[in-house]
Amino acid sequence: MTQPFGELGRFAEPSLYILVSLSNGPKHGYAIMTDVEQMTGAPLGPGTLYGALARLERRGLIEALEPEDRRRPYRLTGAGATTLAAQLAHLEGFVRTGLERLGGGIK
Amino acid sequence: MSRLVRLYPPAWRDRYLDELEDLLADRPPTLRDRLDLIRGAVDAWIHPQLVRRPARQEEPAFSSRLFAGVAAVIGGGLWIAGGLAIRAIPRNPSLGYKETGAAALILVAAMLVTALAATALAGSVIVGSRRVGAAVTVMLLGAMLTAMPWPLLIVGFFAYVIATVAFGAIVAASASRVVGSLLAVAALILTSFNTEDERALIAIPFGLAWIALGSIAFRRAPAVTAA
């Protein structure tokens, strides 16, 4: 994982999942967990989820909305969308390079 | 489950408790989730990531400082009580040394409570320093080791003392020069602590230093960032 996610340590990967989850609209914690689990097949622990949410909020990549009962939805900020787009573009390039090399090796 | 949530710092709970409890009500936690919550609580103490909102920050920050201050004062009091109690115990002539028993347990409790106070201070009065996180972690581990048999007890004691010297230096550099220096010097002197003679009373200035440290936690000054 590259900057700015690299500084997030073990929260880098969960943070990326959360940003992707929020990219199609605001969600509260449980909805994010469910969405991430559907996307990745791996559950996101509650301690990891809130550790990552706190870091993303601190960095201005997401923002908390007014609570609905006890649930507080989060949404992607403009900075968060830009960061996510850059991160996904980087990963896309990485995947393409990997597939090209793999294809070349097989030939 | 609420017991695990209570492991988080007060300021963190003020911000996230409602939604986390709601989430856990929707999704009953597995063993893995419980371990994840414990790991998350340790992380929240060492790396506070709360968003600073002037309108909402004051109350959570003060509750955290209040906990830190009360713990520091109680821990300091336990150090003083433990030192006095050990000093008052007569040497057992047949053994050739003192049977410290319950008095030693007071000192173990003093170390644990002061380490918790330092942890809370690291999340409120002093924030954002990795060195603070390392110092309080070593302090906590050292305090826990003092409850073990010899020689882990001695290893734990010196780990606690050295970490307290470091913590005092960080406090001196970032929050209160006088109180931080007092704590660091008192901790250095504590390396001469001996249960068998008058040196048991060295616990008294060390306890007073913790009480003084507790006093800075009660100030309504904003949290400061250590270098």
Side-chain angles (χ1 to χ4, degrees):
Chain A
M1 206 64 67
T2 58
Q3 295 291 340
F5 286 77
E7 64 174 12
L8 296 178
R10 77 176 182 93
F11 293 96
E13 202 168 313
S15 295
L16 180 62
Y17 296 155
I18 291 168
L19 292 184
V20 171
S21 176
L22 295 178
S23 63
N24 66 346
K27 291 183 183 66
H28 53 72
Y30 178 67
I32 294 172
M33 279 181 101
T34 309
D35 192 34
V36 168
E37 192 163 356
Q38 284 175 352
M39 281 192 293
T40 66
L44 195 59
T48 301
L49 171 69
Y50 277 93
L53 284 174
R55 282 166 170 78
L56 291 170
E57 197 178 1
R58 172 96 173 187
R59 286 159 179 78
L61 302 181
I62 63 170
E63 63 185 354
L65 303 176
E66 284 304 308
E68 300 164 355
D69 294 329
R70 300 181 79 197
R71 294 178 172 185
R72 185 189 290 275
Y74 293 86
R75 78 174 166 206
L76 207 59
T77 62
T82 304
T83 301
L84 176 61
Q87 195 68 16
L88 292 177
H90 172 81
L91 288 173
E92 186 183 27
F94 177 72
V95 169
R96 194 185 310 117
T97 303
L99 288 172
E100 282 170 5
R101 290 184 181 182
L102 189 60
I106 291 169
K107 288 173 188 173
Chain B
M1 179 44 52
S2 59
R3 277 179 296 176
L4 287 182
V5 176
R6 282 193 209 124
L7 292 175
Y8 280 85
W12 194 99
R13 294 201 305 266
D14 286 343
R15 170 65 182 81
Y16 293 110
L17 181 65
D18 279 354
E19 48 189 298
L20 179 56
E21 282 187 338
D22 188 71
L23 182 150
L24 295 173
D26 282 342
R27 184 179 184 275
T30 61
L31 175 62
R32 188 174 175 174
D33 288 339
R34 290 168 194 267
L35 293 174
D36 187 66
L37 279 171
I38 293 170
R39 198 175 174 196
V42 171
D43 170 74
W45 279 104
I46 296 174
H47 302 116
Q49 299 286 329
L50 293 179
V51 174
R52 289 162 188 262
R53 290 178 178 151
R56 297 183 179 181
Q57 180 70 13
E58 187 62 23
E59 213 41 50
F62 182 69
S63 67
S64 185
R65 291 202 303 273
L66 183 65
F67 173 82
V70 169
V73 170
I74 291 174
L78 285 171
W79 267 109
I80 294 169
L84 289 171
I86 286 178
R87 173 67 188 86
I89 295 170
R91 183 172 293 185
N92 185 325
S94 59
L95 293 174
Y97 58 84
K98 292 181 180 180
E99 290 182 286
T100 51
L105 288 180
I106 296 175
L107 292 186
V108 172
M111 280 184 261
L112 286 169
V113 173
T114 49
L116 284 174
T119 307
L121 281 164
S124 55
V125 177
I126 305 154
V127 298
S129 167
R130 289 189 177 184
R131 285 185 297 167
V132 169
V136 297
T137 302
V138 173
M139 206 185 289
L140 265 173
L141 291 174
M144 286 190 275
L145 279 179
T146 59
M148 303 290 185
W150 182 280
L152 290 177
L153 181 159
I154 290 298
V155 172
F157 176 76
F158 279 101
Y160 169 87
V161 170
I162 291 166
T164 306
V165 172
F167 183 71
I170 293 167
V171 171
S174 59
S176 169
R177 182 169 297 179
V178 173
V179 175
S181 302
L182 184 66
L183 181 67
V185 170
L188 278 174
I189 296 172
L190 196 67
T191 55
S192 302
F193 181 82
N194 194 316
T195 57
E196 300 305 305
D197 54 35
E198 301 295 331
R199 284 175 289 177
L201 298 178
I202 286 174
I204 294 175
F206 187 65
L208 289 172
W210 273 105
I211 292 171
L213 182 61
S215 71
I216 69 168
F218 292 119
R219 291 181 198 163
R220 277 186 167 268
V224 294
T225 302

